[in-house]
């Protein structure tokens, strides 16, 4: 079975400060890891993914994530948050031989001006 | 290009009624997925199509739920004898091919069963 944990329901940061959203996972075999963002009344928007290669993955809108195999983590980061980054963020995982994604419960990010 | 589209965006129905939810994947994407997102939770897998066939329907909660993709493009999720517990946002996603590819999601259909 595969699963994702997002330990923080909410993350609050001031604009211009670094933003980190935590994710840990459990999967058989090599993980395929994804981050999605959801704005109110909108679908999930793809941010970035890790399949293989460099542990630091760069994605859309200045976001990046670091894959850590020993800690089974894939934390999302942004060096300088914007008010427009306020949204619901989901981490997802699947196994290399699978296709269905397992999602965490989501983390609500609020960036205050 | 156009993304995944879903219709209707909102559907309100009464307990016991039948509903159909439609998904138009990104053109050329062979793999299509349905997920269900309940309030305060992440999406949960329902069913996956590769082409016209349902390759995995293990996520369908019971036999009231059924999905088709007759021509390998548009898909319809069908729910019979709806129950209040079926209320959720139903998300459709597509990918260029199965395995390894990014799944791109539509805006979802919010189903409310009264």
């Amino acid at each position: 079975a595969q699963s994702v944990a997002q330990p923080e329901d909410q993350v609050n940061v001031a604009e211009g400060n670094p933003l980190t959203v935590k994710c840990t996972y459990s999967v058989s075999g090599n993980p395929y890891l994804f981050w999605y963002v959801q704005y109110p009344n909108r679908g999930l928007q793809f941010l970035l993914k890790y399949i293989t290669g460099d542990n630091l993955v760069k994605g859309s809108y200045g976001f990046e994530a670091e894959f850590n195999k020993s800690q089974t983590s894939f934390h999302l980061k942004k060096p300088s948050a914007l008010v427009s980054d306020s949204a619901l963020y989901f981490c997802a995982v699947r196994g290399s031989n699978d296709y269905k994604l397992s999602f965490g419960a989501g983390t609500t990010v609020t960036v205050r001006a | 290009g156009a993304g995944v589209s879903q219709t209707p965006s909102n559907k309100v129905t009464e307990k016991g009624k039948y509903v159909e939810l439609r998904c138009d994947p990104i053109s050329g994407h062979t793999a299509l997925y349905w997920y269900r997102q309940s309030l305060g939770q992440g999406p949960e897998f329902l069913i996956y199509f590769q082409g016209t066939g349902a390759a995995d329907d293990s996520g369908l909660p019971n036999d009231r739920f059924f999905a088709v993709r007759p021509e390998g493009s548009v898909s319809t999720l069908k729910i019979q004898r709806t129950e209040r517990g079926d209320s959720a946002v139903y998300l459709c996603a597509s990918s260029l091919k199965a395995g390894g590819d990014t799944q791109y999601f539509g805006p979802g259909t919010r189903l409310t069963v009264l």
Side-chain angles (χ1 to χ4, degrees):
Chain A
Q2 56 195 35
S3 64
V4 169
Q6 292 182 242
E8 301 159 316
D9 291 337
Q10 294 196 13
V11 169
N12 299 303
V13 298
E15 187 172 37
N17 281 2
L19 169 64
T20 298
V21 186
K22 295 179 181 177
C23 170
T24 58
Y25 67 90
S26 174
V27 70
S28 298
N30 294 324
Y32 285 22
L33 293 153
F34 301 81
W35 276 101
Y36 288 85
V37 60
Q38 188 173 39
Y39 296 97
N41 300 314
R42 303 278 294 276
L44 298 174
Q45 184 174 337
F46 170 72
L47 281 179
L48 51 78
K49 67 181 178 183
Y50 172 83
I51 303 298
T52 187
D54 194 347
N55 288 345
L56 184 63
V57 178
K58 294 188 181 297
S60 307
Y61 312 116
F63 284 93
E64 58 189 28
E66 185 166 13
F67 170 63
N68 187 315
K69 186 173 183 178
S70 63
Q71 297 186 2
T72 61
S73 67
F74 189 56
H75 302 330
L76 181 70
K77 300 181 181 182
K78 186 170 184 180
S80 179
L82 301 172
V83 171
S84 58
D85 294 329
S86 298
L88 181 57
Y89 290 79
F90 289 98
C91 180
V93 69
R94 67 173 184 83
S96 56
N97 294 320
D98 207 341
Y99 37 78
K100 51 188 173 186
L101 293 173
S102 294
F103 286 84
T107 298
T108 299
V109 170
T110 302
V111 182
R112 61 186 183 275
Chain B
V4 177
S5 62
Q6 293 185 245
T7 55
S9 55
N10 282 282
K11 177 69 177 179
V12 180
T13 191
E14 294 180 342
K15 180 175 177 295
K17 299 292 187 181
Y18 168 83
V19 296
E20 290 189 351
L21 312 179
R22 175 188 168 105
C23 172
D24 275 278
I26 294 171
S27 179
H29 280 196
T30 62
L32 185 146
Y33 315 78
W34 284 97
Y35 292 81
R36 179 167 71 173
Q37 185 177 16
S38 300
L39 193 62
Q41 298 181 23
E44 293 180 323
F45 171 80
L46 294 176
I47 186 170
Y48 152 64
F49 287 89
Q50 180 56 44
T52 60
D56 183 350
D57 64 358
S58 62
L60 295 178
N62 51 60
D63 61 6
R64 296 186 297 105
F65 288 75
F66 188 72
V68 296
R69 195 186 185 200
E71 299 178 356
S73 179
V74 171
S75 176
T76 304
L77 179 65
K78 308 180 180 190
I79 310 174
Q80 299 177 321
R81 304 183 304 280
T82 52
E83 300 178 356
R84 293 193 179 87
D86 299 335
S87 297
V89 176
Y90 289 81
L91 296 167
C92 177
S94 70
S95 64
L96 188 59
K97 58 180 179 7
D101 267 9
T102 301
Q103 296 179 25
Y104 295 94
F105 284 79
T109 293
R110 181 176 299 277
L111 175 66
T112 303
V113 182
L114 301 177

